[in-house]
Amino acid sequence: MNLRNPEHLARVREVFGLANRHRLAITAHIATTERDYDPRATATIFLEQLLPAAADVPVQIAHMTGDSGFSETKEEISFGVFADAIVAGDPRTRNLYFDASGVVQANRPQPQSALERVARRMRQVGLTRILWASDRHAPNNQAPADAWKTFLERLPLTEAEFRDIADNEVRYPRRGPGM
């Protein structure tokens, strides 16, 4: 899907609206590997066009808006769109969460500055919006317990901050009768 394509956007917006109507939470992977991927435009469209269609249900964005790692050229830009909106008190972000799957890499070196950037961004949006997750499906990914250990060892957060992330719970909407 390319959210800058009006047909794709209309279809995804329809799905978000249906999920909202049926009280279903959404997890979205918004980054692509397409050559023309524009992180700022994609995040802005997501914020302005899709979040309003799912205003009553939790929306979780995978990998803190990325695919793996947390680069200055992609994730920092797209995450910044959401972080700015959250800090400004934008009501569209009321039910917005981010999972931290893959932002700390065991099999790929990450400079300390990149890990500090991840921690700073987590703190900026509030740790209550950060969900730990594992991306186990791929053969080169760590098992969940190993991924959690890497997360704890490499990310420059305090013990209390890690505990906050570990204790996060998303309140999923109750479905009404007949749904």
Side-chain angles (χ1 to χ4, degrees), residues 9-134:
L9 177 59
R11 187 70 177 143
V12 175
R13 187 171 168 82
E14 180 182 346
V15 170
F16 273 51
L18 287 168
N20 194 67
R21 191 172 105 222
H22 291 287
R23 314 289 287 157
L24 299 171
I26 297 168
T27 299
H29 192 292
I30 69 169
T32 72
T33 56
E34 297 299 317
R35 207 170 16 98
D36 67 344
Y37 171 64
D38 181 334
R40 184 177 316 283
T42 300
T44 300
I45 292 166
F46 196 93
L47 174 69
E48 294 175 356
Q49 301 293 318
L50 297 179
L51 286 181
D56 302 316
V57 296
V59 176
Q60 172 184 327
I61 299 179
H63 312 292
M64 288 179 59
T65 73
D67 188 20
S68 61
F70 197 79
S71 72
E72 289 180 88
T73 57
K74 281 191 192 173
E75 292 82 11
E76 180 74 13
I77 293 168
S78 57
F79 193 85
V81 169
F82 297 110
D84 291 345
I86 289 166
V87 169
D90 188 323
R92 297 174 292 194
T93 64
R94 180 174 54 98
N95 293 315
L96 183 60
Y97 299 87
F98 305 91
D99 78 46
S101 174
V103 298
V104 178
Q105 302 283 304
N107 57 353
R108 218 174 58 198
Q110 289 173 282
Q112 189 62 28
S113 61
L115 297 168
E116 288 168 1
R117 191 170 48 253
V118 170
R120 180 178 47 79
R121 286 300 201 174
M122 288 178 168
R123 291 177 182 122
Q124 182 183 15
V125 300
L127 295 174
T128 58
R129 291 181 184 270
I130 305 298
L131 307 170
W132 185 83
S134 169

Side-chain angles (χ1 to χ4, degrees), residues 127 157-165:
L127 295 174
L157 295 174
T158 67
E159 187 176 317
E161 289 171 322
F162 284 120
R163 198 171 30 255
D164 287 346
I165 292 170

